[in-house]
Amino acid sequence: MYYFKFIALVLGVIMITLAPIVLLLRERWRAFVLEYILPERQPFWLWVTGAISLLIVAITWYVEFTTKVPFSWVITLLITLALPKSYFFLFHYEQARKKILPLIQKDILFFWSYSIFMYLLGIIILSLGMFSL
């Protein structure tokens, strides 16, 4: 039970904090994403984060199957969604980068939609962790 509360707390706080930062920094955030997160050549740290995400997904599914926590399947599903993203960034980096770059260039889509969605999802996850799990 505490595992899912911890995951919900961490994810919720990160999302709620990062949403206004994206809106406030705008061009500096875009430059950061283009320079460090999506450079032309695939960075090595993607392999490290891919391994960490696989480990977190495995632990989450283990805890899901061995404990009985209501609504823990929501957190498990959100954590599991990291695997397809990791797969595409690790093994199809060029194609994933080409699909994401046009989205980054659109201000309304990249800044406003992304921030609002991230903020609302962060509130939902944080509320789920505080009141349901």
Side-chain angles (χ1 to χ4, degrees):
M1 179 164 167
Y2 292 117
Y3 176 78
F4 291 109
K5 283 190 177 281
F6 176 74
I7 293 291
L9 176 71
V10 169
L11 284 177
V13 168
I14 287 173
M15 292 173 123
I16 289 172
T17 307
L18 197 58
I21 290 173
V22 169
L23 279 176
L24 291 174
L25 295 181
R26 289 189 182 243
E27 292 305 319
R28 288 190 290 180
W29 181 259
R30 181 182 287 155
F32 173 76
V33 168
L34 291 174
E35 185 177 340
Y36 295 108
I37 296 177
L38 292 173
E40 287 190 33
R41 295 188 62 207
Q42 183 181 27
F44 176 74
W45 63 265
L46 280 178
W47 289 94
V48 175
T49 56
I52 292 171
S53 68
L54 184 64
L55 179 66
I56 291 173
V57 169
I59 291 170
T60 304
W61 276 102
Y62 172 75
V63 173
E64 175 70 30
F65 286 135
T66 58
T67 60
K68 195 171 190 178
V69 179
F71 299 110
S72 63
W73 63 270
V74 177
I75 300 295
T76 303
L77 180 67
L78 290 173
I79 295 294
T80 305
L81 289 176
L83 285 182
K85 183 175 65 171
S86 295
Y87 170 78
F88 284 113
F89 274 115
L90 289 178
F91 301 112
H92 301 289
Y93 181 74
E94 291 300 322
Q95 292 93 355
R97 186 175 185 273
K98 285 179 185 176
K99 288 181 182 178
I100 292 174
L101 284 179
L103 301 175
I104 292 174
Q105 302 306 323
K106 298 177 183 173
D107 285 346
I108 292 176
L109 186 65
F110 184 61
F111 294 123
W112 286 100
S113 300
Y114 180 67
S115 295
I116 291 170
F117 176 74
M118 188 170 24
Y119 191 77
L120 292 176
L121 189 61
I123 289 174
I124 291 169
I125 291 172
L126 197 57
S127 299
L128 179 72
M130 289 185 341
F131 301 117
S132 296
L133 298 175

